[in-house]
Every structure is written in structure tokens, then in C-alpha cells.
Amino acid sequence: MKKNMTFHKKKIWVVFICCILLMAGLIGRLVHLMCFRSDYYYEKAKDLHERERDIKAARGQILDAKGKVLASNRTVCTISVIHSQIREPEKVIALLTEKLGMDESVVRKRVEKVSSIERVKTNVEKSVGDAIRESNLAGVKVDEDYKRYYPYGSLASKVIGFTGGDNQGIIGLEVKYEEILKGSPGKILTTTDARGVEIDKLGETREEPEEGKSLLISLDANIQEFVQQAALKVMEEKQAERVSILLMNPQNGEIYACVNVPEFDLNDPFTLTEELQVQLAAEQEEGQEGTQADQTQQTAVSQDTQAQTITKRKTEAERKQDLLNQMWRNPCLNDTYEPGSTFKIITMSAGLEVGVVSENDRFYCPGYKLVEDRRIHCAKRTGHGAQNFVEGAQNSCNPVFIEVGLRLGVERFYQCFRQFGLLTKTGIDLPGEAGTIMHQEKNMGEVELATVSFGQSFQITPVQLATTVSSLINGGRRVTPHFGVAVLNPDGTKGKKLEFPVQEGIVSQETSRRVREILETVVSQGSGRNAKIEGYSIGGKTATSQTLPRSANRYISSFLGFAPAENPTVLGLCIIHDPQGIYYGGTIAAPVIRSIFENILPYLGIPQNTSQEIVTVHSVLSNTLRDAQNLC
């Protein structure tokens, strides 16, 4: 009996201890959930009972150098439906179809979709959103939103860029400065019951969005507009394919204007320009003709070959997207070209810096230069005869600069390329900058060296040329070309000044001075005289290059000029692609820069040089005396 009682006591104790352990475990778990995991489950409960709708932040503005708004925001609405709250679905479908101008089947699909919240349409005009809101139909939500608006339409379209449906930058400054401009979105939080129906008594809570910061840029809308008009004028007169003009300050890299015509409408960036619409229509006709031709040859072509042909042929949507990408490109930095004789500025600077040539060196031009087994012609086939180096620059004589290149040699020429920064990108604050396309040093012979010396057989971007020349005329500082100047707070106060790298010692101050003086004579006495402006000292260089294939007889006419020549504060580069009729850069591109300088130099407050005539006469006399000394 005693043994039996002891046995039962042991079982009771085992059960009791198990219960105690179980209770301790439950209490411990409860303490863990309540004390250590409470935040986690609180958030889970909120997610279960709260419905969240985003509030887009107002995007920061883009302001020009004078404070004019180039990109701002316009209030629009986002229309959404909540399936669990809709009581009269047919009325909702009819209303949204009518007000939003959408197909009924599309609206019905979105209204009847079982989801916590379904977006029907974004970027709806505010007046339309207000009308839908006033209908007070259950389950229809109208949230105010922002859409990007560009007051100047097509002005500087390839620089400013645009945003997509989500208000996120796609090209240009809009995407480059996305983190500054975008701001932080807010939220609308509403509480729902277990069925997902909002509880009206609890109302809604809002997390207000934080407006993006504004961007102050160096581009001046007045200058940009005038330069754009000048570009359109010469494009129409010369029936050119396109025209690019870049204006910048060679002292600090600030860009005043960047024009690439034809431009496009920033408020309607997905509509092709008239020229591209014609091109798309032509491509569609070709595609239809190709399809008909394939059908007539079906008996002679295997099924596999037909399938490959159909796959290769681009769809209409793909062709349109290719043309849109072409329309959005900024040729000043996204495309490369053969610079032609404007590159002689770089050959000149390299020769003067290394010391293989001086202003007094004599040359003879018979109209060509023999390099190995090649006869490379001068633009003047009859030749320039005897001339010194300065006169060779004034005449833009190819044999003179070929000789300078050969004196430098491949190794020293490449060393100058690296020193001048030609083999690296400029670092401009726009996306998609292309790099220089140059011969490899090991594959560069005397013929290649000769053609590079006068700007052919390689390609660079216009912004690279302008930046490199800036460093050669500003005393030897390679500045970074840029548009961004400062970041402004939402209240308009200055937040932060933007800084960009500057590289010193590109060339010596003395070489820079000599280059400026020679280029001033190119305008005052040489091939660039069509850029001469009374009262201002202008330096510059003309260029006329032939595109590949050479047999196509297509040309690029250009002129690079700067003012004042003794202390440049404005550098302009005009490039005209495939002009019809007369195509020489000194004849058609130089007058464009002259017209621009005549108007913007006074606008920028650059005074006239009353002693220019004296300086010019002194330059002529100096050249005459040097020639006389050499003859003696």
C-alpha cells in the first residue's frame, strides 16, 4: 500500500512540474512577444488594418542663370478605385469612362479587379479630378499629384530633359540631378475593418511629402533662345541636317547655351518632330513593300528563312522608339564627329608647348604634302606658297600642320593628347557623354599622324573640343563643363554651391598667350574674318571636314571662336551638318558666331576694346617686320 502511494505521488509531481514548465514557457513566450516583439506585431497589425496611398512630392524647380523657371510642376490628379468599397459599380464605370475618356472595357477591368487599391489613371487634369470627386461615389479615390511642366516648351529640350509618368527623370538634367530634385513622397493612411472597408470614424492620417530642392543652372534662357533662333535660321537657309551650337565660359566651364536643332517639345516628349514623323512614315512604307515582296517569294523561300526575315524586320513600335531615342540625343556630348581644322588649335598648342615650332618658322605649301606613299592635299590645291607659321594658321594650311605633327612624332603627340585630357571624358553634368575615338598609339603611323594633325581620321565630341580649347586659351586650366551652379532650398534660399574639378598645368601661360594671339590674327586677317566684330577682339578657327564615306560629298562646317581674345570669357562652337550649296566653315559658320557674339557680348557686360584697331595694326606690322628679318 505504501509503495502504491509513493508511486502516485511521483506521478503527481511529474505532472505538476510539467505544468509549471509549460506555464513558465507560455509566460516567457508572452513576455517575449509583449516586450521584445511588440513593435514588429504592431506594424503587422497596422499593415493589416491600414490602407496606404502615396502622395508624390513636388519636384524641385530648374532655374536659369537669371532665376527664370525652366521646369516646374502643375497640379494633376491620380484616380484609383477600392474594390471592397464600391457599392454601385456600373455608375463608377460609366462616370470614369466619360470623365477620363478611356475605353469602357479597360475601366471595367480595373474597377472589377479584386485588389486593395487599383490605379485607373494618372496625370489627370485637376478640373476633371475635382468633377469625379464631387460625384461622391463610394470606392473612388481622387488624390492630388504633380506633373512636370516646362514653360518654354522646346527651349533647351536636350539639356533640361523630361520626366516619365512616375515623375522620375528620364534624360538630361532631370535625370542627372534626380536625387536633388525628386524630394520625398508622403502617404495617406486609412484604417479598415476585416473586410477591407474603411472605418469613417477613425478618419485618415497623412504623412506630408517633402518638396524637392531646386537647381540653379548657368544656362541663360535669353541667350539660349537667341542662339536657338540663329541655329534654326542657318539650318533653314542651308537646308542642313542639323545644327549644334555650344556657348561656354572658358574660365570656369559654365555653359551659357547648348542648342541642338531641331529640338522637341518637353511637354509632349513622346511625339516625334515633323521631320521624324515623315521618316517614320517612309520606313513604314518600305516595311510594307518588303512584306509584300516576301509574300510573292514564299514559294522560293523556306519557312525557316521567312520566320527569320519577319523576326529581323522591326515593328512599328520599335522603329518609333529608335526615332524617339534619336530625337532625345544631345549631339554636343552624345555624338562624335571629325573636328577638321578646329583641331589645328590643339596641334598648334602642342607644337608651341613642346618647342618644335615657333611663329617665325617658314614653310612652303605647293598644294599638297607627301607622307610616305600618300599625297595629302591642302584645301587650296594650287598651294599657299612660302609662309610663316602664323600665316599658315591664318590660311588653315594642311601641309603646315602636317609638318608640325611630324615634328612632334607619335609618342610626343600622344603625350600631349593625354596632357590635354583628350583621351578622357570631360565630366559634364549630363548623362551619356561619348569618349574620343582615336587610333591606338601602337597602330599610328606617319600617315595617321598627318591626318590627325589637321583634324581627320578620328572623332571627338563637340563638348570635348570646346573644353580642350578652353584650357589652351585660359592659361592652361582644364575646367569641367557644367550647367549646375547651386542647389536651392524649397523656400528659395541658397543651399549649396556646386563645385567641379579643375586641372592645372595643361600648357604654360606663355603658350596660352601665344595661341590666343595667333588665333586673333586668324579672325582679323585670315580665314575667320567673317567672325570679326568692330570694337571687339575675336579669336577663332574655321573648319570644313568631309564625313565618311568621302565619296558621299557630305560636309561638316564649323567655327570655334572666343572673345575677348586677350582674356576670353565666352567661347562659341557652331557645327552645321551637311549644308547644301556653299559649305565652307569660314563662309557659313563664322557669321553665325559673329551674329551671336554681337548680341550677347553687350548682354554679358563685356566692354568694347577701343584700342582694337591699334592692336590689329601692330600685329600686321609685327608680322611684316618678322618677314623682312627672315628674308634678310
Side-chain angles (χ1 to χ4, degrees):
M1 185 71 179
K2 187 175 181 180
K3 181 179 178 182
N4 200 21
M5 289 178 63
T6 302
F7 176 75
H8 285 297
K9 283 182 180 181
K10 286 182 179 180
K11 287 198 295 184
I12 292 170
W13 275 106
V14 169
V15 172
F16 178 72
I17 290 171
C18 288
C19 289
I20 292 296
L21 292 174
L22 182 62
M23 289 296 294
L26 292 173
I27 293 171
R29 178 63 177 165
L30 187 61
V31 169
H32 174 72
L33 293 176
M34 294 180 66
C35 297
F36 299 102
R37 299 283 286 170
S38 58
D39 291 342
Y40 171 77
Y41 285 102
Y42 174 72
E43 293 298 329
K44 295 288 283 184
K46 278 181 62 179
D47 291 342
L48 183 63
H49 291 286
E50 285 186 342
R51 181 173 287 111
E52 177 183 302
R53 304 200 306 273
D54 289 335
I55 309 174
K56 287 183 181 177
R59 198 170 172 86
Q61 295 180 328
I62 298 178
L63 309 172
D64 86 333
K66 303 294 184 184
K68 291 182 180 179
V69 178
L70 302 179
S72 93
N73 304 292
R74 189 165 57 186
T75 303
V76 292
C77 296
T78 296
I79 312 300
S80 307
V81 291
I82 300 174
H83 182 269
S84 60
Q85 296 180 10
I86 296 176
R87 297 171 187 169
E88 301 173 292
E90 292 303 322
K91 282 188 176 182
V92 170
I93 293 169
L95 176 71
L96 296 184
T97 300
E98 177 190 353
K99 296 295 183 182
L100 299 179
M102 297 174 64
D103 187 82
E104 181 183 346
S105 60
V106 175
V107 175
R108 182 177 296 278
K109 182 178 179 180
R110 293 178 183 176
V111 170
E112 293 178 350
K113 184 177 180 180
V114 180
S115 62
S116 58
I117 185 167
E118 181 69 18
R119 187 175 294 175
V120 179
K121 191 173 182 180
T122 61
N123 293 329
V124 176
E125 292 297 327
K126 190 175 185 301
S127 58
V128 176
D130 291 341
I132 294 173
R133 186 187 289 112
E134 289 170 2
S135 67
N136 290 321
L137 286 175
V140 179
K141 297 298 176 183
V142 180
D143 296 319
E144 287 194 356
D145 204 345
Y146 295 100
K147 180 182 179 181
R148 207 59 162 159
Y149 173 65
Y150 303 94
Y152 290 89
S154 63
L155 190 74
S157 60
K158 298 175 183 182
V159 172
I160 298 171
F162 58 91
T163 60
D166 56 357
N167 232 19
Q168 186 175 15
I170 292 181
I171 68 168
L173 295 172
E174 289 280 23
V175 68
K176 186 67 177 182
Y177 289 97
E178 173 71 18
E179 294 303 314
I180 290 171
L181 295 168
K182 70 178 182 179
S184 300
K187 295 177 183 178
I188 298 175
L189 301 171
T190 55
T191 305
T192 64
D193 59 18
R195 294 173 297 167
V197 179
E198 291 183 4
I199 303 174
D200 294 334
K201 293 181 181 179
L202 295 180
E204 63 182 27
T205 58
R206 294 171 65 94
E207 294 181 11
E208 295 298 332
E210 183 180 341
E211 185 179 345
K213 295 180 180 179
S214 294
L215 177 68
L216 180 69
I217 65 175
S218 59
L219 185 141
D220 189 307
N222 293 329
I223 296 177
Q224 178 78 17
E225 191 167 11
F226 180 82
V227 173
Q228 191 162 316
Q229 290 172 357
L232 284 169
K233 181 181 177 182
V234 73
M235 186 175 75
E236 291 173 1
E237 288 177 350
K238 301 304 299 179
Q239 299 179 339
E241 180 183 319
R242 68 176 190 268
V243 177
S244 298
I245 302 178
L246 181 68
L247 290 184
M248 66 182 287
N249 186 333
Q251 303 294 341
N252 57 21
E254 290 184 355
I255 298 176
Y256 299 134
C258 181
V259 170
N260 298 277
V261 291
E263 303 271 0
F264 63 91
D265 187 357
L266 286 171
N267 293 310
D268 190 17
F270 291 93
T271 298
L272 294 171
T273 59
E274 292 182 7
E275 296 84 354
L276 293 178
Q277 286 179 6
V278 171
Q279 184 177 337
L280 178 62
E283 289 180 1
Q284 289 172 353
E285 288 180 5
E286 289 179 4
Q288 291 173 357
E289 291 174 359
T291 302
Q292 293 173 359
D294 288 342
Q295 291 174 352
T296 59
Q297 297 176 3
Q298 282 182 356
T299 55
V301 183
S302 67
Q303 291 184 351
D304 291 341
T305 305
Q306 289 179 32
Q308 290 174 4
T309 303
I310 293 171
T311 303
K312 288 179 180 178
R313 185 175 296 120
K314 289 186 176 181
T315 65
E316 180 181 345
E318 289 173 334
R319 286 197 295 265
K320 182 178 180 181
Q321 187 58 54
D322 288 344
L323 292 175
L324 283 173
N325 293 335
Q326 178 184 330
M327 183 178 75
W328 297 336
R329 289 180 70 82
N330 187 334
C332 280
L333 62 126
N334 297 145
D335 296 339
T336 58
Y337 79 115
E338 286 189 348
S341 293
T342 50
F343 191 80
K344 290 174 182 175
I345 301 173
I346 293 165
T347 304
M348 174 196 305
S349 303
L352 292 172
E353 180 72 5
V354 175
V356 299
V357 70
S358 70
E359 294 88 336
N360 297 325
D361 283 5
R362 303 295 298 180
F363 299 87
Y364 182 79
C365 170
Y368 61 90
K369 176 82 172 175
L370 285 174
V371 181
E372 292 183 345
D373 60 341
R374 305 289 179 86
R375 176 178 288 197
I376 302 175
H377 289 278
C378 184
K380 186 178 180 181
R381 292 299 181 100
T382 57
H384 294 103
Q387 58 191 334
N388 63 23
F389 181 64
V390 175
E391 290 169 335
Q394 293 171 3
N395 296 327
S396 194
C397 180
N398 286 349
V400 169
F401 285 88
I402 291 173
E403 178 62 28
V404 174
L406 295 176
R407 289 182 187 181
L408 281 165
V410 173
E411 185 176 345
R412 284 194 293 192
F413 215 157
Y414 252 85
Q415 184 180 346
C416 289
F417 288 163
R418 297 188 187 94
Q419 182 177 327
F420 295 173
L422 282 163
L423 301 181
T424 59
K425 296 180 181 179
T426 66
I428 187 173
D429 54 347
L430 284 177
E433 181 184 4
T436 301
I437 303 173
M438 181 64 74
H439 305 279
Q440 290 187 358
E441 184 175 0
K442 63 182 180 180
N443 298 330
M444 194 170 182
E446 287 196 345
V447 172
E448 290 77 18
L449 178 59
T451 55
V452 168
S453 298
F454 60 88
Q456 288 193 359
S457 79
F458 73 100
Q459 295 191 353
I460 62 174
T461 60
V463 72
Q464 176 67 269
L465 178 65
T467 302
T468 305
V469 173
S470 292
S471 67
L472 302 177
I473 63 173
N474 68 9
R477 293 175 298 104
R478 184 174 172 88
V479 295
T480 300
H482 61 274
F483 291 93
V485 174
V487 177
L488 306 180
N489 295 319
D491 60 2
T493 58
K494 198 168 186 178
K496 181 182 70 172
K497 184 177 180 181
L498 298 175
E499 302 288 344
F500 297 89
V502 176
Q503 184 181 350
E504 302 284 349
I506 301 300
V507 292
S508 66
Q509 290 273 356
E510 177 61 17
T511 297
S512 181
R513 180 190 62 78
R514 294 163 73 188
V515 169
R516 292 196 302 269
E517 289 179 352
I518 294 172
L519 294 177
E520 190 278 330
T521 69
V522 172
V523 173
S524 62
Q525 305 168 48
S527 59
R529 61 175 60 91
N530 283 332
K532 186 177 180 181
I533 303 173
E534 194 66 32
Y536 288 100
S537 58
I538 310 295
K541 187 71 192 71
T542 60
T544 308
S545 56
Q546 196 172 13
T547 61
L548 295 172
R550 310 295 186 197
S551 58
N553 292 323
R554 290 166 55 90
Y555 296 88
I556 298 175
S557 306
S558 60
F559 179 78
L560 186 150
F562 54 90
E566 60 276 2
N567 184 29
T569 54
V570 181
L571 181 144
L573 174 60
C574 174
I575 304 172
I576 304 171
H577 292 263
D578 194 23
Q580 304 303 305
I582 297 174
Y583 52 81
Y584 298 111
T587 305
I588 65 173
V592 176
I593 294 296
R594 180 189 63 205
S595 172
I596 292 170
F597 279 7
E598 282 176 338
N599 287 272
I600 72 164
L601 293 179
Y603 175 79
L604 294 172
I606 299 172
Q608 291 188 348
N609 181 5
T610 55
S611 62
Q612 183 190 355
E613 292 181 4
I614 299 173
V615 172
T616 303
V617 171
H618 174 74
S619 178
V620 173
L621 290 173
S622 298
N623 288 335
T624 304
L625 288 171
R626 279 198 296 266
D627 291 346
Q629 290 172 354
N630 289 326
L631 288 173
C632 295

XYZ file of all heavy atoms in Angstrom, residues 348-355 419-420 470-478 503-516:
251
model
N 48.609 73.140 -82.889
C 49.379 74.360 -82.689
C 49.881 74.460 -81.252
O 51.067 74.725 -81.005
C 48.493 75.575 -83.003
C 49.103 76.932 -82.704
S 47.834 78.226 -82.670
C 47.064 78.015 -84.268
N 48.996 74.231 -80.289
C 49.370 74.331 -78.875
C 50.418 73.300 -78.502
O 51.367 73.603 -77.766
C 48.124 74.148 -78.000
O 47.139 75.099 -78.325
N 50.252 72.067 -79.021
C 51.232 71.016 -78.731
C 52.595 71.386 -79.298
O 53.635 71.239 -78.639
C 50.747 69.687 -79.297
N 52.620 71.871 -80.546
C 53.887 72.242 -81.162
C 54.583 73.381 -80.442
O 55.807 73.356 -80.227
N 53.819 74.405 -80.046
C 54.406 75.538 -79.325
C 54.867 75.128 -77.932
O 55.910 75.571 -77.453
C 53.379 76.669 -79.227
C 53.000 77.366 -80.541
C 51.832 78.322 -80.315
C 54.195 78.126 -81.122
N 54.095 74.277 -77.269
C 54.440 73.868 -75.902
C 55.706 73.009 -75.896
O 56.592 73.192 -75.048
C 53.271 73.093 -75.281
C 53.498 72.607 -73.866
C 53.471 73.722 -72.833
O 53.189 74.880 -73.193
O 53.736 73.427 -71.647
N 55.805 72.081 -76.827
C 56.974 71.209 -76.887
C 58.179 71.953 -77.458
O 59.335 71.642 -77.144
C 56.656 69.945 -77.712
C 57.894 69.070 -77.899
C 55.547 69.141 -77.037
N 57.914 72.939 -78.319
C 59.001 73.735 -78.878
C 59.462 73.295 -80.247
O 60.559 73.662 -80.678
N 47.995 64.803 -71.855
C 48.179 66.008 -71.049
C 47.002 66.966 -71.214
O 46.546 67.573 -70.245
C 49.475 66.711 -71.461
C 49.805 67.966 -70.662
C 51.144 68.552 -71.091
O 52.062 67.817 -71.461
N 51.237 69.869 -71.066
N 46.492 67.080 -72.428
C 45.372 67.989 -72.687
C 44.033 67.412 -72.247
O 43.035 68.124 -72.220
C 45.301 68.331 -74.180
C 46.479 69.118 -74.692
C 46.610 69.365 -76.047
C 47.462 69.619 -73.834
C 47.691 70.085 -76.548
C 48.548 70.336 -74.324
C 48.662 70.566 -75.677
N 39.347 75.500 -74.419
C 39.237 76.420 -73.268
C 40.494 76.369 -72.418
O 41.007 77.403 -71.974
C 38.013 76.059 -72.421
O 36.818 76.313 -73.110
N 41.017 75.157 -72.185
C 42.211 75.023 -71.350
C 43.443 75.588 -72.035
O 44.411 75.977 -71.370
C 42.439 73.552 -70.993
O 42.778 72.795 -72.143
N 43.415 75.663 -73.365
C 44.576 76.159 -74.112
C 44.579 77.678 -74.233
O 45.617 78.260 -74.536
C 44.602 75.522 -75.508
C 44.645 73.989 -75.540
C 44.592 73.484 -76.969
C 45.872 73.459 -74.819
N 43.431 78.320 -73.993
C 43.366 79.780 -74.127
C 43.138 80.487 -72.799
O 43.182 81.716 -72.741
C 42.272 80.197 -75.129
C 40.895 79.776 -74.635
C 42.560 79.642 -76.518
C 39.739 80.289 -75.482
N 42.868 79.726 -71.727
C 42.598 80.374 -70.432
C 43.802 80.375 -69.499
O 43.677 80.670 -68.311
C 41.395 79.718 -69.736
C 41.672 78.285 -69.278
O 42.809 77.811 -69.321
N 40.637 77.600 -68.827
N 44.967 80.025 -70.019
C 46.165 79.999 -69.188
C 46.613 78.612 -68.797
O 47.591 78.461 -68.057
N 45.899 77.573 -69.270
C 46.341 76.205 -69.005
C 45.561 75.468 -67.942
O 46.046 74.477 -67.392
N 44.321 75.892 -67.654
C 43.490 75.207 -66.649
C 42.368 74.450 -67.366
O 41.563 75.062 -68.055
C 42.891 76.201 -65.665
C 43.913 76.875 -64.760
C 43.276 77.944 -63.881
N 42.695 79.005 -64.680
C 41.402 79.153 -64.904
N 40.522 78.295 -64.384
N 40.946 80.150 -65.647
N 42.318 73.141 -67.168
C 41.235 72.354 -67.772
C 40.045 72.369 -66.824
O 40.061 71.729 -65.769
C 41.677 70.920 -68.063
C 40.586 70.111 -68.796
C 41.084 68.738 -69.200
N 40.000 67.920 -69.713
C 39.593 67.886 -70.986
N 40.197 68.643 -71.883
N 38.603 67.107 -71.367
N 41.789 71.134 -63.454
C 43.144 70.582 -63.557
C 44.102 71.664 -64.046
O 43.875 72.271 -65.086
C 43.162 69.384 -64.513
C 44.516 68.689 -64.608
C 44.494 67.527 -65.576
O 43.435 67.126 -66.042
N 45.661 66.996 -65.887
N 45.148 71.912 -63.294
C 46.104 72.964 -63.633
C 47.232 72.409 -64.512
O 47.461 71.211 -64.596
C 46.704 73.549 -62.355
C 45.682 74.137 -61.387
C 45.159 75.487 -61.820
O 45.743 76.066 -62.764
O 44.177 75.981 -61.226
N 47.933 73.331 -65.166
C 49.167 72.986 -65.864
C 48.998 72.239 -67.169
O 49.861 71.436 -67.535
N 47.918 72.484 -67.888
C 47.729 71.815 -69.180
C 48.785 72.312 -70.170
O 49.449 71.520 -70.852
C 46.312 72.057 -69.724
C 45.268 71.545 -68.724
C 46.138 71.390 -71.082
C 45.362 70.083 -68.426
N 48.923 73.621 -70.267
C 50.018 74.250 -71.009
C 50.497 75.435 -70.180
O 49.841 75.859 -69.225
C 49.583 74.744 -72.418
C 49.267 73.592 -73.338
C 48.412 75.711 -72.325
N 51.632 75.987 -70.556
C 52.163 77.136 -69.822
C 51.375 78.397 -70.152
O 50.700 78.482 -71.188
C 53.637 77.343 -70.174
O 53.764 77.728 -71.537
N 51.466 79.384 -69.281
C 50.811 80.669 -69.524
C 51.324 81.286 -70.826
O 50.563 81.888 -71.585
C 51.105 81.621 -68.351
C 50.424 81.262 -67.045
C 49.028 81.843 -66.948
O 48.599 82.576 -67.836
N 48.323 81.534 -65.875
N 52.619 81.126 -71.100
C 53.218 81.703 -72.291
C 52.650 81.058 -73.558
O 52.308 81.751 -74.527
C 54.738 81.510 -72.252
C 55.486 82.005 -73.487
C 55.336 83.499 -73.735
O 54.934 84.230 -72.798
O 55.607 83.931 -74.866
N 52.545 79.733 -73.556
C 51.967 79.050 -74.713
C 50.522 79.480 -74.926
O 50.094 79.721 -76.065
C 52.029 77.528 -74.531
O 53.396 77.106 -74.465
C 51.346 76.797 -75.678
N 49.778 79.589 -73.843
C 48.383 80.012 -73.934
C 48.278 81.406 -74.549
O 47.416 81.658 -75.406
C 47.736 79.989 -72.553
O 46.386 80.365 -72.612
N 49.131 82.302 -74.139
C 49.118 83.667 -74.685
C 49.420 83.652 -76.179
O 48.752 84.327 -76.976
C 50.145 84.537 -73.944
C 50.215 85.985 -74.445
C 51.404 86.709 -73.848
N 52.686 86.101 -74.239
C 53.259 86.293 -75.437
N 52.672 87.043 -76.364
N 54.413 85.706 -75.719
N 50.431 82.878 -76.578
C 50.816 82.820 -77.993
C 49.688 82.229 -78.842
O 49.431 82.698 -79.961
C 52.089 81.995 -78.145
C 53.303 82.648 -77.502
C 54.437 81.653 -77.291
N 55.112 81.288 -78.541
C 56.031 80.331 -78.618
N 56.373 79.644 -77.525
N 56.619 80.062 -79.765
N 48.997 81.227 -78.325
C 47.874 80.621 -79.047
C 46.763 81.649 -79.239
O 46.189 81.779 -80.331
C 47.346 79.379 -78.299
C 46.019 78.903 -78.904
C 48.370 78.254 -78.341
N 46.446 82.400 -78.180
C 45.401 83.423 -78.290
C 45.759 84.465 -79.349
O 44.907 84.878 -80.148
C 45.182 84.105 -76.941
C 44.562 83.233 -75.867
C 44.023 84.062 -74.721
N 45.037 84.908 -74.097
C 45.803 84.554 -73.070
N 45.668 83.326 -72.556
N 46.684 85.383 -72.537
